[in-house]
């Protein structure tokens, strides 16, 4: 909302204090003692984020739906990095399950500092080929799951007076010329991108909110075989990303290194959406 200079001067706002923290940039990236929830953490981007946070000293709650590999991966990260890590089976499309899991994490770990709403589902069908049930299933994970996660994590953040929400969106929220026609998937990602920006304003007194919009990465939700060449052709760097190349971005947003960053939508796509 724009205002005139006169209106601005009539509504003074005292500057809030600058957060205290280390001056050394490497220390700013540390997450020692922080508690982080990561949804969709059993593999792909979610697991890479979990590895990054563990390497920086955070305690981890790895949420998964059907991939029980998260249980062993939590144990491995705990042993390797001397942190506490635990896996939780949580269908994010179930509001009551998300609410109960957030409460359990707080009970198990004592607090909740970072929530990465990363879980997502894919469906590349055009709208006219998609059933209503398929539409509802996709939106239940990609949109409703993020809304429920934000709602119940946000309640904890507000109660604590601090928190950090990171939403995984997609370059599909920015463009329509992806290799396949997938309007409903695109819409689900555009919705969570806008949600994140709106929450950054709504939660300005107690939490930061940012969005990551990945392009094609070498994961099970990356480019399928029939569109792989198009993904390579469109990306300026000529390939899909490796998940290790996204770890630093999530760590930046989760850490004090980004303490003046909120409401941002950071694209990491190898130059795919460049005009």
């Amino acid at each position: 909302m724009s205002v005139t200079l006169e209106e601005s001067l009539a509504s003074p706002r005292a500057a809030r204090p600058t957060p205290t923290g280390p001056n050394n940039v490497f220390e700013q990236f540390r997450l020692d003692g922080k508690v982080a929830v990561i949804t969709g953490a059993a593999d792909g981007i979610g697991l890479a984020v979990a590895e990054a946070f563990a390497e920086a000293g955070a305690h981890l709650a790895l949420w998964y739906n059907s991939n029980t590999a998260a249980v062993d991966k939590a144990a491995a990260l705990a042993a390797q990095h001397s942190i506490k890590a635990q896996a939780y089976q949580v269908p994010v499309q179930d509001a009551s399950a998300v609410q109960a899991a957030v409460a359990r994490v707080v009970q198990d770990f004592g607090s909740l500092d970072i929530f990465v709403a990363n879980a997502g589902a894919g469906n590349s069908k055009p709208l006219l080929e998609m059933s209503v049930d398929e539409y509802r299933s996709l939106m239940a994970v990609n949109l409703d799951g993020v809304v429920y996660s934000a709602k119940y994590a946000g309640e904890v953040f507000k109660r604590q007076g601090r928190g950090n929400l990171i939403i995984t969106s997609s370059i599909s929220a920015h463009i329509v010329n992806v290799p396949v026609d997938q309007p409903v998937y695109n819409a689900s990602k555009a919705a969570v991108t806008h949600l994140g920006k709106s929450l950054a304003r709504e939660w300005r007194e107690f939490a930061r909110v940012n969005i990551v919009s990945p392009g094609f990465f070498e994961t099970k939700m990356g480019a399928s075989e029939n569109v792989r060449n198009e993904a390579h052709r469109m990306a300026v760097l000529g390939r899909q990303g490796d998940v290790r190349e996204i770890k630093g971005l999530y760590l930046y947003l989760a850490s004090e290194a980004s303490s003046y960053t909120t409401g941002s939508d950071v694209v990491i796509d190898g130059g795919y959406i460049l005009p």
Side-chain angles (χ1 to χ4, degrees):
M1 180 184 298
S2 61
V3 296
T4 65
L5 177 60
E6 290 75 15
E7 290 171 330
S8 174
L9 294 174
S11 303
R13 182 186 182 189
R16 298 178 64 188
T18 301
T20 58
N23 187 59
N24 183 284
V25 69
F26 293 106
E27 293 178 9
Q28 290 176 17
F29 280 89
R30 295 296 306 173
L31 298 178
D32 298 295
K34 300 289 187 182
V35 176
V37 170
I38 304 160
T39 71
D43 58 18
I45 289 175
L47 179 58
V49 173
E51 291 172 347
F53 289 4
E55 290 159 5
H59 302 303
L60 302 176
L62 306 187
W63 286 17
Y64 69 98
N65 185 24
S66 58
N67 190 344
T68 58
V71 177
D72 290 338
K73 288 171 180 176
L77 288 171
Q80 182 179 358
H81 300 287
S82 300
I83 60 166
K84 181 176 180 179
Q86 187 169 332
Y88 300 76
Q89 186 171 20
V90 187
V92 296
Q93 64 271 38
D94 182 336
S96 61
V98 172
Q99 183 180 27
V102 168
R104 186 178 166 197
V105 169
V106 173
Q107 181 179 14
D108 291 345
F109 288 84
S111 65
L112 174 57
D113 302 292
I114 305 155
F115 196 107
V116 181
N118 170 74
N123 189 324
S124 298
K125 289 185 179 180
L127 178 61
L128 300 184
E129 297 176 14
M130 180 180 288
S131 70
V132 172
D133 285 344
E134 287 175 321
Y135 160 79
R136 288 173 176 160
S137 177
L138 183 66
M139 297 300 278
V141 175
N142 287 3
L143 176 54
D144 296 347
V146 176
V147 171
Y148 302 150
S149 296
K151 175 175 174 58
Y152 295 115
E155 289 177 354
V156 176
F157 292 164
K158 185 174 183 179
R159 186 165 65 244
Q160 295 177 157
R162 69 182 193 283
N164 189 337
L165 174 66
I166 304 169
I167 296 171
T168 300
S169 182
S170 169
I171 58 169
S172 296
H174 296 259
I175 58 172
V176 295
N177 64 324
V178 288
V180 291
D181 294 322
Q182 50 184 32
V184 176
Y185 177 83
N186 295 353
S188 72
K189 292 303 185 178
V192 296
T193 295
H194 197 82
L195 173 69
K197 290 177 176 290
S198 298
L199 288 177
R201 179 172 291 279
E202 179 183 322
W203 295 0
R204 59 189 176 274
E205 298 299 331
F206 59 87
R208 295 191 292 118
V209 184
N210 290 287
I211 306 103
V212 176
S213 289
F216 289 101
F217 278 77
E218 293 280 1
T219 70
K220 66 182 181 182
M221 289 188 66
S224 59
E225 192 59 40
N226 62 321
V227 298
R228 188 176 296 268
N229 183 67
E230 184 67 3
H232 297 170
R233 186 184 70 83
M234 288 290 291
V236 171
L237 296 183
R239 59 178 175 85
Q240 294 190 84
D242 186 284
V243 290
R244 67 178 175 78
E245 296 176 294
I246 205 168
K247 291 169 66 174
L249 174 54
Y250 279 89
L251 180 57
Y252 166 74
L253 293 175
S255 71
E256 290 305 309
S258 65
S259 59
Y260 196 55
T261 303
T262 196
S264 292
D265 175 14
V266 186
V267 173
I268 177 167
D269 68 345
Y272 186 101
I273 67 172
L274 285 173

